[in-house]
Amino acid sequence: MSPESTGQNEHYLTVFRRGFRTWRGDRPFWAGLFTMAGGLPIAYFPYANMHLGNVTLAMSTTAGAASLIIGVLLVTLGLTMWFHSIVRVFAGVAAILLALISIPVANIGGFVIGFLLALLGGALSVSWAPGEPAAEDGDEERAPAAVGASLLAEHGADGEQATAAVPRQPADLDATVQADGRNRAG
């Protein structure tokens, strides 16, 4: 290695940021974050006391334990989305159901804030799908040849049936193949 190598001299924050972006891209990160953020107000507001001067306003409800359970479950489901993304659909559906249950149980779903965040997180989790791996350069070049070979094998060497399924080019266009493999049209 030469002393000018940039791989060893990168700042540790840059390395951490790249690693975090890779980790975040492999799972429903925002779905888990919104679900956890929705669970916090749902669990907090039934136990909160607001002080206005000398007046203490208690927002406690009779279903305080149920709202605490719903909030803790939403935070757990958010962590599940992050660290066990294979069950993302189950976690998303469960988060949506818990958000809906929090409306009558936990101060209108944490004063609608927790309800909306948990609902959005659950919907994002259900709709998230892992990305497809990028194709290698060699695979892209072989793909058209494999398609052509399968058409010849399927329809015979004369290609009479294959041309019926392929749209025909106008006669005035020159569709010759150049030496580098690209087509040249007129």
Side-chain angles (χ1 to χ4, degrees):
M1 291 231 135
S2 69
E4 283 98 28
S5 176
T6 60
Q8 293 178 340
N9 298 331
E10 289 185 1
H11 196 265
Y12 67 93
L13 289 177
T14 304
V15 173
F16 175 77
R17 185 180 57 87
R18 285 186 187 153
F20 178 71
R21 286 182 71 184
T22 303
W23 178 83
R24 187 184 71 191
D26 294 340
R27 62 201 75 248
F29 175 77
W30 293 107
L33 186 67
F34 282 131
T35 303
M36 286 187 284
L40 294 177
I42 290 173
Y44 174 74
F45 285 138
Y47 294 101
N49 292 329
M50 189 165 46
H51 300 285
L52 300 172
N54 291 334
V55 177
T56 300
L57 180 64
M59 294 179 275
S60 299
T61 61
T62 57
S67 62
L68 180 65
I69 291 171
I70 290 172
V72 168
L73 283 174
L74 284 172
V75 170
T76 304
L77 287 171
L79 289 171
T80 301
M81 292 173 198
W82 277 2
F83 297 110
H84 198 64
S85 62
I86 194 76
V87 293
R88 67 187 181 278
V89 175
F90 168 75
V93 170
I96 291 170
L97 290 175
L98 286 172
L100 291 171
I101 290 171
S102 74
I103 291 174
V105 171
N107 290 339
I108 312 170
F111 297 119
V112 183
I113 298 167
F115 164 71
L116 289 177
L117 288 172
L119 196 67
L120 178 64
L124 285 174
S125 178
V126 169
S127 66
W128 185 84
E132 295 293 326
E136 296 180 12
D137 292 335
D139 293 342
E140 293 174 4
E141 293 175 3
R142 285 181 268 164
V147 170
S150 67
L151 281 176
L152 282 177
E154 183 179 328
H155 296 289
D158 59 353
E160 190 171 317
Q161 291 178 341
T163 57
V166 176
R168 296 182 184 259
Q169 294 182 353
D172 59 338
L173 291 179
D174 182 22
T176 59
V177 177
Q178 294 178 352
D180 60 354
R182 293 182 292 164
N183 289 336
R184 184 186 62 164

